[in-house]
Amino acid sequence: MKKKKSMLMLLSAMMIVTLGLSACSGNNGGNNEPSPAASNAGASEKPSEAPPEEEEPTEITIMLPLNIAETPPDTIKTELEKLTNTKLTYQFFPADTYEEKLNASFATGALPQVTYLKNQATFIRFKEAIRDNQFWEIGPYLGEFENLSKMKESILNNTKVDGKLYSLYIGRPLARQGLIYRKDWADNLGLSAPQTTEDLFAMAKAFTEDDPDKDGNDNTVGLADRNDLIYGAFKTLSSFFGTPNNFGVKDGQILPEFMFPEYIETMDYMKSLRDAGYMNQDFAATSKTDQVNLFQSGEAGLYIGSMQDVNSLYNNLVKNVPTAEVATHNKIVKPGGTFGIWAIPGYNNVVLFPKSAIKDEAELKKILAFFDKMMTPEVANLMYWGIEGTHYSVVEGQAKASDDSDKVEREVKGYKDSVIGEPETNGQLQGFHDLQARIDAEKFIIENEAAAIHDPTAPLDSVTFTEQGQELQKIITDATYQYMYGQLDKAGFEKAVETWKERGGQKIIDEFTAAYNASK
């Protein structure tokens, strides 16, 4: 009897526990079904697990260059945080002084978790710090992320240091360079798109001397250029003459571009343009802003650089000259030459992950998870194009930017420059264009890929180049401008090349040559 009473009490207690557990389950999860019975009487009862709570937002601080005048508002950041479950702090610094800030932050151990560099040259200068174990190697982790693992292997290889991957890349078309010119001026003078460097020279002459705007005044010039031997006119013209891209292979050696005769031909060509007055005389001291203003004001008729600049050039030009027309063109060669155009190694910038700011592997993986989400169409479009209906609309399956270009630039541009990957890998919408010159430019950019002149040293390393390349390049940059200004003759330029070799350039040649031969 006593035993029976005890059993009844035990059963009653178990029922109370079971009812209590069911009630808790109902209050927490909305599920009123009882917990599964224990597999045997001796096993202790376990409550059913409550659904996992939403994960706390990952806090990430990001440093990057700003290519507009003012820091953007939080319009895009707020939406980005919602889509990626993050709490983001963006540290924007003006692009013009970004390298100084970057170097100072690195020297004081103040780099944030996510650090964008400025360009490929900055990346080269950071390679020693990367070798010194200052940044996380991320290559072993990319396979864990569905979207990051889609990044192009060929471009990733171009960013490796000693065969290891430390960075994610901001993808760009291989070769966007070409010619933008005043089509209405060409039509007024009966000129067609130039096919050779001689045709281009003749157009610069006519645009300067033959009153192309038909206003009866001597107020025009052919080419507008700036103080940039890479993204200004010089390097693209150099391609038209057949110069290698940064370095070339000759007689089994890797040699710098300025040791090839085509480089001299390019200098001679630009010197002739300047001497004749067919371009702005002070181009070596002209900023990009001033160069652009020469074209947009209606003073200059030729702009050599990224053909994708045509939209902004045209939109501002017609504010000053409502009847103006523009066109783009790419296939220009020296007489008897073959068309080629210099190419970037598939990226224009990279992002690194400092060990001083990221304490362990778990934190690194959370940050990489954010970048994995960045490579989804929804997030990539938000960061590149903005908010649909506000900053862009979808037309024929492409993104058409809002007519309010000031709003788009102010709110979106700051984030646009940080999107990793490219449309083929992140699903980002291609742009819709109704300006014929831009439609042509996009076609020409695709054509350029087949004629791209690649830098053979892009995947290679030279310790001397990393340590001294920028300093040594100044010798050549100064000599190049002096030659084109008539302050240095060919013998003087060749002496500058010898100085470059003596101060470390020969070691660069030897190291790149050894690395090139070892990679075959």
Side-chain angles (χ1 to χ4, degrees):
M1 197 63 188
K2 197 176 209 182
K3 186 174 181 182
K4 186 176 181 182
K5 185 175 179 182
S6 298
M7 270 308 265
L8 286 170
M9 290 176 66
L10 180 60
L11 287 169
S12 298
M14 289 178 68
M15 287 177 67
I16 291 168
V17 170
T18 302
L19 288 169
L21 290 172
S22 297
C24 289
S25 177
N27 289 337
N28 289 336
N31 178 6
N32 293 320
E33 293 181 10
S35 302
S39 58
N40 59 69
S44 59
E45 286 281 341
K46 289 185 180 180
S48 59
E49 293 184 10
E53 294 183 11
E54 185 176 341
E55 194 175 327
E56 284 293 312
T58 300
E59 295 188 15
I60 305 174
T61 302
I62 302 169
M63 176 179 171
L64 71 170
L66 184 67
N67 291 295
I68 52 177
E70 297 179 4
T71 299
D74 288 346
T75 312
I76 302 302
K77 183 174 86 80
T78 300
E79 295 302 312
L80 179 60
E81 289 175 329
K82 292 176 186 175
L83 290 174
T84 59
N85 191 31
T86 53
K87 184 177 180 183
L88 304 172
T89 300
Y90 277 92
Q91 298 176 348
F92 289 102
F93 297 99
D96 289 347
T97 56
Y98 188 71
E99 285 192 80
E100 296 171 22
K101 180 64 181 177
L102 197 61
N103 293 334
S105 298
F106 175 70
T108 57
L111 290 177
Q113 297 149 297
V114 174
T115 301
Y116 282 81
L117 301 187
K118 184 180 179 182
N119 50 35
Q120 296 165 37
T122 315
F123 177 51
I124 290 170
R125 290 192 284 278
F126 263 80
K127 282 188 176 181
E128 278 308 299
I130 291 170
R131 289 190 176 99
D132 195 35
N133 204 30
Q134 299 295 313
F135 297 91
W136 282 91
E137 181 189 355
I138 63 169
Y141 304 107
L142 293 198
E144 300 178 26
F145 298 94
E146 179 183 358
N147 300 309
L148 290 179
S149 61
K150 297 175 184 174
M151 298 188 87
K152 294 181 178 180
E153 186 176 357
S154 60
I155 300 176
L156 290 174
N157 287 338
N158 283 340
T159 69
K160 285 181 177 178
V161 178
D162 299 334
K164 297 179 180 179
L165 183 68
Y166 296 84
S167 59
L168 299 175
Y169 68 82
I170 293 83
R172 288 293 183 270
L174 287 177
R176 297 181 291 176
Q177 312 308 112
L179 173 67
I180 299 171
Y181 68 97
R182 285 287 298 272
K183 186 178 183 302
D184 56 325
W185 286 10
D187 290 346
N188 286 343
L189 301 175
L191 299 173
S192 56
Q195 304 302 306
T196 68
T197 51
E198 289 183 351
D199 295 339
L200 181 60
F201 195 95
M203 180 175 276
K205 180 179 187 294
F207 279 4
T208 305
E209 297 180 345
D210 296 346
D211 191 21
D213 57 1
K214 299 302 179 185
D215 68 351
N217 296 312
D218 182 14
N219 56 0
T220 60
V221 69
L223 174 66
D225 194 26
R226 66 180 186 266
N227 57 353
D228 188 334
L229 293 179
I230 299 175
Y231 296 103
F234 184 84
K235 194 170 181 67
T236 299
L237 284 169
S238 188
S239 295
F240 298 161
F241 281 96
T243 310
N245 181 7
N246 298 330
F247 290 85
V249 183
K250 185 177 182 180
D251 299 329
Q253 277 191 307
I254 293 286
L255 298 177
E257 60 187 354
F258 48 82
M259 290 180 68
F260 286 78
E262 294 85 357
Y263 191 95
I264 304 288
E265 287 183 65
T266 309
M267 291 196 297
D268 286 334
Y269 184 85
M270 287 199 69
K271 182 179 185 302
S272 296
L273 281 171
R274 182 178 182 275
D275 288 349
Y278 302 154
M279 67 181 296
N280 52 315
Q281 296 291 288
D282 60 345
F283 70 96
T286 301
S287 68
K288 181 176 181 178
T289 300
D290 290 338
Q291 175 204 21
V292 164
N293 285 340
L294 282 171
F295 191 92
Q296 292 176 167
S297 66
E299 182 177 344
L302 298 169
Y303 178 98
I304 298 173
S306 171
M307 291 182 287
Q308 292 179 330
D309 289 345
V310 69
N311 291 80
S312 59
L313 289 173
Y314 173 75
N315 290 338
N316 289 305
L317 171 63
V318 293
K319 293 176 183 176
N320 299 308
V321 187
T323 58
E325 295 179 46
V326 295
T328 48
H329 185 62
N330 65 334
K331 292 183 178 176
I332 300 173
V333 301
K334 71 178 180 181
T338 302
F339 175 64
I341 192 74
W342 68 277
I344 64 172
Y347 69 96
N348 75 333
N349 200 3
V350 299
V351 56
L352 294 171
F353 306 92
K355 286 190 171 182
S356 60
I358 300 174
K359 62 181 181 297
D360 54 32
E361 183 183 78
E363 184 179 354
L364 176 67
K365 286 187 176 182
K366 285 186 176 182
I367 293 169
L368 290 176
F370 163 71
F371 280 94
D372 191 63
K373 291 173 184 174
M374 193 191 290
M375 287 192 68
T376 59
E378 187 176 19
V379 178
N381 284 328
L382 170 70
M383 296 186 71
Y384 194 89
W385 295 110
I387 299 169
E388 185 178 354
T390 300
H391 303 105
Y392 77 99
S393 56
V394 178
V395 178
E396 298 176 9
Q398 298 173 316
K400 185 178 187 301
S402 164
D403 291 335
D404 190 348
S405 57
D406 290 340
K407 179 182 179 68
V408 173
E409 179 162 300
R410 184 175 64 255
E411 298 183 357
V412 183
K413 173 67 172 170
Y415 301 95
K416 180 177 187 174
D417 295 335
S418 67
V419 180
I420 61 167
E422 52 275 295
E424 306 98 285
T425 55
N426 62 26
Q428 168 194 315
L429 289 170
Q430 298 281 4
F432 173 86
H433 304 289
D434 48 17
L435 178 65
Q436 187 60 48
R438 180 59 185 270
I439 294 170
D440 292 340
E442 293 302 319
K443 180 183 71 173
F444 296 149
I445 289 169
I446 294 171
E447 291 178 358
N448 280 353
E449 291 194 14
I453 303 171
H454 295 282
D455 179 355
T457 68
L460 306 178
D461 280 311
S462 159
V463 173
T464 307
F465 183 74
T466 300
E467 293 175 349
Q468 297 178 243
Q470 183 183 23
E471 177 188 345
L472 290 173
Q473 182 58 40
K474 191 174 186 306
I475 297 170
I476 303 303
T477 299
D478 289 347
T480 300
Y481 281 124
Q482 289 167 4
Y483 185 100
M484 292 187 292
Y485 269 50
Q487 299 165 357
L488 208 61
D489 60 11
K490 187 177 179 182
F493 182 80
E494 290 173 345
K495 184 177 179 181
V497 172
E498 287 303 312
T499 301
W500 178 87
K501 290 170 69 177
E502 290 167 3
R503 294 185 183 177
Q506 186 59 54
K507 289 181 69 177
I508 291 173
I509 291 172
D510 295 341
E511 288 167 4
F512 270 140
T513 298
Y516 176 75
N517 290 329
S519 69
K520 289 183 183 179

